[in-house]
């Protein structure tokens, strides 16, 4: 009840006194850029008194020009109650709380806060405008703005118009709570692709919404960026391939190094490599490493090398029991993949294709060598075959070998061949009277030794021999059993002993002896005939006389002429040789008709069966009756019709005896020659070759 009464009373009193002063417009908070003009409005109604402005409670004065405040003044029509405060240019110190006061009316406007904005200066990037970085190495870019900007600016990073996140913002305070500067640190790990890139640091605040930018260019030092190519990429084995290694780097490239499969390629130093490709290039790539002052980088590439099959894993021999499964495998490598086939040695039928051969439930007939074969590649290289032996473990296989027939009561030998895998525990010979495994028993002896070559796939071979000493009649009518046993069973065969009769052998020996006797008699007869014929021929020869020129009988001719090897015929004198006889040793001796009264020296000759060169006679040195240099040999056989089956050789020089039984006279009449009886085909005898004796008289030696 009391409140309504007071309101009514107040209304009545106001209406009686008139309208009271009041604010038509009060100042409001403002934001002004540094250097711009600030205007704080103030309008009063029904007031005609003093109006003033206060700054943070400090009165600026009641005059319109506000003396003492050069940048401040009050504008507006005072009569109409307009009292606006102007500040130009606004400085940072103008930021304060302002009030418009009607002092006489006791009115105060609400406080108006003036905010002065200081736009930031363009930021500074440390190390700019070009920053040198190393690719791959983490780095920090620092953008800094001075702290006198108001409000504190925001530092942002941009690349190609796109804002970069992750920057760290940091303020550096000064004394008295003022801010000295602000920084923004951008962390990045540059790559070679960042070389030459431009980054922008923007300082932005309420005072400068568009902000101010500072750009920086990245200058990167980076290790080489390598690209490696091969031409051609697909190649046949044995062809040439060219590798090209290209690189971009800052600073420039300082060296190249090539490797294949991790092993250096000796002698390769430049950006290009030419090499002959082989199968290893398929799995051992070629790499190129490029270096500069910052670091190095490498790239590798593998070639598509087409090559013929290469055997990597041979099939292994197998030994399985009969009835079990067998499996072989072999591995061939090639590009393209080779076709592998399996056959059995000696059989062209393909058993399987691929790296594996499976033989289910093998039997003895499956034992043998199996061949894994790969055909050559497109280049004609590679390929080949590999084989492995399948040994089937089965009961022994026993075969009787040929045994030579034996004589009664003589030695005998029986043999059997045993093939078995596993090796038989023993080989047993048995007969009616008993058995024998090894060693001797009575007339029997057993020996067992390896066969020279086993049957393929059936294990090693054994030869067992049963020796019998002093065979008996019963040995030829009974069978001898050869039996072998191993863990899978036993096998055996029967061997019989053949008999050899004595009569055919005696006949053969007698025939051979008769032929030998006949041949011996023929040879003996031919030899006697030849000897007799030679003796008869010698008895018909003419004696050839030579008168030496000295008492000691030495020849005046050389040794070649004495041995009768000269081809010319010398002067000889034809005389009878009835007084030449053969001694017991076959040599000719001369008779001395003077019984030693005269000292007559003769010539000894020897008789030799066979043919001499030309079938002629070798005679003493030439007579001085003939010219010098004439030989002492002449072939009479063609003219006398003689068979040259025997020769007459002179053994030493000397004098022939006179052809008559009486003593020599002091004169020898030259013998005249007449033509002999010639055979129809005999050429005429050259009688003119005999010269006339030059000495009519001869002296005897007494």
């Amino acid at each position: 009840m009391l409140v309504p009464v007071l309101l009514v009373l107040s209304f009545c009193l106001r209406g009686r006194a008139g309208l009271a002063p009041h604010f038509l417009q009060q100042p409001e908070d403002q934001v002004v850029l540094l250097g711009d003009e600030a205007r704080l409005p103030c309008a009063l109604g029904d007031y005609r008194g003093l109006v003033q402005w206060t700054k943070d409670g400090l009165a600026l004065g009641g005059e319109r020009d506000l003396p003492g405040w050069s940048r401040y003044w009050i504008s507006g029509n005072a009569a109409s109650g307009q009292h606006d405060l102007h500040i130009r240019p606004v400085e940072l110190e103008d930021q304060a709380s302002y009030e418009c006061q009607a002092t006489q009316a006791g009115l105060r406007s609400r406080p108006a806060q003036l905010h002065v904005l200081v736009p930031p200066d363009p930021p500074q990037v440390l190390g700019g405008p070009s920053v040198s970085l190393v690719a791959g190495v983490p780095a920090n870019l620092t953008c800094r703005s001075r702290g006198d900007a108001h409000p504190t600016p925001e530092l942002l990073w941009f690349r190609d118009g796109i804002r970069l996140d992750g920057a760290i913002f940091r303020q550096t305070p000064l004394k008295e709570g003022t801010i000295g500067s602000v920084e923004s640190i951008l962390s990045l790990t540059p790559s070679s692709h960042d070389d030459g890139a431009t980054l922008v640091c923007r300082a932005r605040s309420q005072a400068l919404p568009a902000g101010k930018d500072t750009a920086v260019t990245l200058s990167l030092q980076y290790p080489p960026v390598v690209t490696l190519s091969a031409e051609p990429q697909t190649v046949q084995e044995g062809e040439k391939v060219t590798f090209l290694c290209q690189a971009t780097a800052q600073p420039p490239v300082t060296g190249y190094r090539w490797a294949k499969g991790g092993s250096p390629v000796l002698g390769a130093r430049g950006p290009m490599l030419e090499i002959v490709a082989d199968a290893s290039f398929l799995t051992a790539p070629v790499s190129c490493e490029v270096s500069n002052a910052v670091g190095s980088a490498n790239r590798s590439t593998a070639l598509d090398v087409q090559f013929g099959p290469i055997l990597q894993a041979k099939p292994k021999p197998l030994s399985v029991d009969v009835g079990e499964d067998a499996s072989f495998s072999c591995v061939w490598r090639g590009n393209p993949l080779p076709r592998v086939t399996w056959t059995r040695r000696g059989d062209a039928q393909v058993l399987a294709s691929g790296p594996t051969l499976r033989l289910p439930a093998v039997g003895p007939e499956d034992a043998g060598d199996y061949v894994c074969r790969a055909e050559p590649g497109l280049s004609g290289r590679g390929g080949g075959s590999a084989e492995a032996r399948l040994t089937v473990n089965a009961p022994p296989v026993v075969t009787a070998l040929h045994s030579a027939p034996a004589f009664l009561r003589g030695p005998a030998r029986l043999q059997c061949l045993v093939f078995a895998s596993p090796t038989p525990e023993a080989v047993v010979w048995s007969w009616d009277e008993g058995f024998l495994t090894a060693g001797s028993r009575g007339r029997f002896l057993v020996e067992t030794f390896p066969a020279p070559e086993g049957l393929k796939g059936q294990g090693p071979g054994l030869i067992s021999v049963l020796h019998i000493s002093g065979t008996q009649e019963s040995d030829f009518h009974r069978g001898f059993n050869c039996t072998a046993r191993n863990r899978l069973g036993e096998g055996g065969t029967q061997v019989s002993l053949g008999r050899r009769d004595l009569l055919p052998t005696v006949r053969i020996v007698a025939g051979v002896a008769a032929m030998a006797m006949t041949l011996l008699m023929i040879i003996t007869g031919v030899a006697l005939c030849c000897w007799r014929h030679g003796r008869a021929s010698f008895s018909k020869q003419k004696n050839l006389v030579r008168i030496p020129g000295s008492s000691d009988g030495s020849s005046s001719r050389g040794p070649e002429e004495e041995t009768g090897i000269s081809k010319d015929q010398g002067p000889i004198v034809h005389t009878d040789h009835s007084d030449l006889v053969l001694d017991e040793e076959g040599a000719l001796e001369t008779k001395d008709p003077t019984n030693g009264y005269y000292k007559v020296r003769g010539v000894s000759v020897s008789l030799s069966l066979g043919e001499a060169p030309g079938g002629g006679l070798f005679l003493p040195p030439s007579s001085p009756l003939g010219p010098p240099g004439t030989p002492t040999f002449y072939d009479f056989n063609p003219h006398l019709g003689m068979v040259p089956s025997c020769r007459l050789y002179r053994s030493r020089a000397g004098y022939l005896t006179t052809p008559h039984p009486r003593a020599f006279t002091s004169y020898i009449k030259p013998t005249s020659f007449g033509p002999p009886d010639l055979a129809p085909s005999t050429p005429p005898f050259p009688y003119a070759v005999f010269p006339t004796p030059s000495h009519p008289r001869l002296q005897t030696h007494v």
Side-chain angles (χ1 to χ4, degrees):
M1 281 298 288
L2 182 59
V3 173
V5 174
L6 292 176
L7 289 175
V8 172
L9 181 60
S10 175
F11 179 75
C12 291
L13 291 175
R14 182 173 297 179
R16 182 183 296 177
L19 296 174
H22 59 279
F23 282 99
L24 298 178
Q25 186 180 10
Q26 297 187 48
E28 295 180 355
D29 294 343
Q30 287 190 21
V31 177
V32 183
L33 287 177
L34 182 69
D36 289 350
E37 180 180 343
R39 175 179 171 271
L40 298 174
C42 179
L44 293 170
D46 298 329
Y47 180 72
R48 296 293 181 269
L50 178 65
V51 177
Q52 68 174 2
W53 287 86
T54 63
K55 176 184 178 184
D56 292 335
L58 177 65
L60 298 178
E63 292 83 359
R64 305 295 283 184
D65 57 354
L66 299 178
W69 302 88
S70 59
R71 296 180 292 108
Y72 292 59
W73 75 93
I74 298 174
S75 67
N77 188 354
S80 61
Q82 193 72 33
H83 305 276
D84 297 338
L85 177 62
H86 292 264
I87 305 173
R88 188 181 62 186
V90 175
E91 294 182 0
L92 187 61
E93 64 185 19
D94 298 330
Q95 180 171 285
S97 177
Y98 293 87
E99 290 183 2
C100 178
Q101 298 177 357
T103 57
Q104 295 175 353
L107 295 177
R108 299 175 60 183
S109 69
R110 60 176 176 265
Q113 188 70 33
L114 179 63
H115 297 281
V116 179
L117 301 181
V118 180
D121 292 334
Q124 179 186 8
V125 178
L126 302 183
S130 178
V131 178
S132 179
L133 303 177
V134 177
V137 178
N140 294 328
L141 295 180
T142 301
C143 179
R144 181 175 296 170
S145 178
R146 293 185 305 173
D148 55 358
H150 185 78
T152 302
E154 181 184 16
L155 300 179
L156 305 175
W157 290 93
F158 294 87
R159 177 176 178 176
D160 299 332
I162 300 174
R163 181 177 174 177
L164 302 177
D165 297 326
I168 300 175
F169 185 77
R170 186 173 63 186
Q171 294 181 348
T172 303
L174 296 178
K175 293 182 179 180
E176 299 177 357
T178 60
I179 297 175
S181 65
V182 292
E183 293 178 347
S184 179
I185 300 174
L186 177 65
S187 298
L188 75 163
T189 302
S191 66
S192 60
H193 303 291
D194 298 327
D195 186 35
T198 299
L199 299 183
V200 174
C201 178
R202 180 175 296 170
R204 186 178 67 178
S205 69
Q206 186 180 0
L208 189 62
K212 289 186 178 180
D213 296 341
T214 298
V216 64
T217 301
L218 301 182
S219 176
L220 287 182
Q221 292 186 348
Y222 52 91
V225 179
V226 183
T227 58
L228 179 61
S229 61
E231 183 64 32
Q233 187 67 35
T234 301
V235 63
Q236 294 287 338
E237 183 181 16
E239 293 182 352
K240 262 190 177 181
V241 182
T242 300
F243 293 90
L244 182 61
C245 186
Q246 296 175 312
T248 57
Q250 182 64 33
V253 173
T254 57
Y256 295 84
R257 188 173 68 173
W258 293 88
K260 173 180 172 288
S263 299
V265 179
L266 300 180
R269 291 290 183 269
M272 183 180 296
L273 173 65
E274 287 187 353
I275 198 167
V276 177
D278 55 29
S280 63
F281 283 81
L282 190 65
T283 55
V286 174
S287 62
C288 173
E289 182 180 81
V290 186
S291 304
N292 69 351
V294 176
S296 62
N298 68 76
R299 289 292 181 272
S300 61
T301 183
L303 288 179
D304 182 17
V305 181
Q306 296 185 350
F307 57 94
I310 299 174
L311 181 63
Q312 286 190 310
K314 295 181 179 180
K316 297 181 180 179
L318 292 178
S319 177
V320 298
D321 290 348
V322 62
E324 294 181 353
D325 296 342
S327 179
F328 291 100
S329 64
C330 70
V331 180
W332 292 85
R333 184 171 68 94
N335 186 26
L337 290 175
R339 179 176 179 267
V340 180
T341 58
W342 289 88
T343 59
R344 189 169 179 175
R345 174 174 286 280
D347 190 353
Q349 180 182 1
V350 177
L351 302 177
S353 296
T356 304
L357 171 65
R358 290 183 175 85
L359 301 174
V362 297
E365 67 279 1
D366 296 320
D369 294 327
Y370 289 85
V371 181
C372 168
R373 180 174 287 104
E375 298 299 328
L378 298 177
S379 62
R381 300 185 180 185
S385 62
E387 64 181 48
R389 177 166 295 182
L390 173 62
T391 301
V392 178
N393 299 325
V397 177
V398 184
T399 306
L401 297 179
H402 173 73
S403 300
F407 294 109
L408 181 63
R409 299 183 182 84
R413 175 188 177 99
L414 300 179
Q415 302 178 96
C416 68
L417 178 62
V418 180
F419 288 113
S421 178
T423 304
E425 302 166 0
V427 179
V428 181
W429 285 90
S430 61
W431 57 95
D432 296 340
E433 302 173 4
F435 64 91
L436 186 60
T437 302
S440 61
R441 178 182 178 183
R443 299 182 296 116
F444 302 97
L445 171 66
V446 172
E447 291 181 326
T448 303
F449 49 89
E453 182 177 0
L455 186 62
K456 293 181 179 178
Q458 292 191 359
L462 296 175
I463 295 180
S464 184
V465 182
L466 175 63
H467 298 274
I468 305 174
S469 62
T471 58
Q472 299 177 1
E473 188 66 33
S474 60
D475 295 336
F476 301 101
H477 302 291
R478 60 184 171 189
F480 293 87
N481 296 318
C482 178
T483 307
R485 173 185 292 275
N486 62 9
R487 64 180 176 82
L488 297 175
E490 69 176 21
T493 187
Q494 190 176 70
V495 185
S496 299
L497 178 60
R499 183 168 181 171
R500 177 185 298 179
D501 294 331
L502 183 60
L503 184 58
T505 304
V506 174
R507 290 179 178 177
I508 293 174
V509 173
V512 172
M515 292 179 62
M517 291 297 296
T518 304
L519 182 61
L520 181 60
M521 293 175 64
I522 293 174
I523 294 174
T524 304
V526 172
L528 290 175
C529 179
C530 179
W531 180 78
R532 291 178 180 177
H533 183 70
R535 181 175 182 181
S537 299
F538 178 77
S539 63
K540 296 178 181 180
Q541 296 293 325
K542 299 296 184 176
N543 202 7
L544 304 180
V545 180
R546 171 174 170 260
I547 308 297
S550 62
S551 61
D552 59 355
S554 62
S555 173
S556 64
R557 304 181 64 86
E560 292 84 5
E561 296 174 351
E562 291 180 358
T563 57
I565 63 173
S566 176
K567 296 181 181 179
D568 298 331
Q569 307 298 323
I572 58 176
V573 180
H574 224 158
T575 182
D576 186 82
H577 55 70
S578 58
D579 47 0
L580 296 177
V581 296
L582 288 170
D583 59 7
E584 293 180 356
E585 297 179 357
L588 280 174
E589 292 185 353
T590 55
K591 293 182 179 181
D592 184 3
T594 61
N595 295 324
Y597 182 78
Y598 296 99
K599 293 182 179 180
V600 178
R601 299 181 65 185
V603 60
S604 298
V605 295
S606 63
L607 184 62
S608 175
L609 297 178
E611 292 186 12
L617 298 174
F618 290 88
L619 300 176
S622 303
S623 169
L625 299 178
T630 55
T632 61
F633 168 77
Y634 189 81
D635 189 357
F636 290 95
N637 294 329
H639 308 284
L640 302 179
M642 297 173 61
V643 179
S645 57
C646 302
R647 301 180 196 159
L648 190 65
Y649 292 85
R650 174 178 59 84
S651 61
R652 61 181 180 271
Y655 296 93
L656 292 178
T657 58
T658 179
H660 301 287
R662 56 185 175 83
F664 284 152
T665 62
S666 62
Y667 174 77
I668 298 178
K669 183 179 180 180
T671 307
S672 62
F673 298 91
D677 296 333
L678 302 177
S681 60
T682 304
F685 187 82
Y687 297 99
V689 299
F690 293 94
T692 304
S694 58
H695 298 277
R697 296 180 61 88
L698 297 177
Q699 297 293 328
T700 60
H701 295 265
V702 180

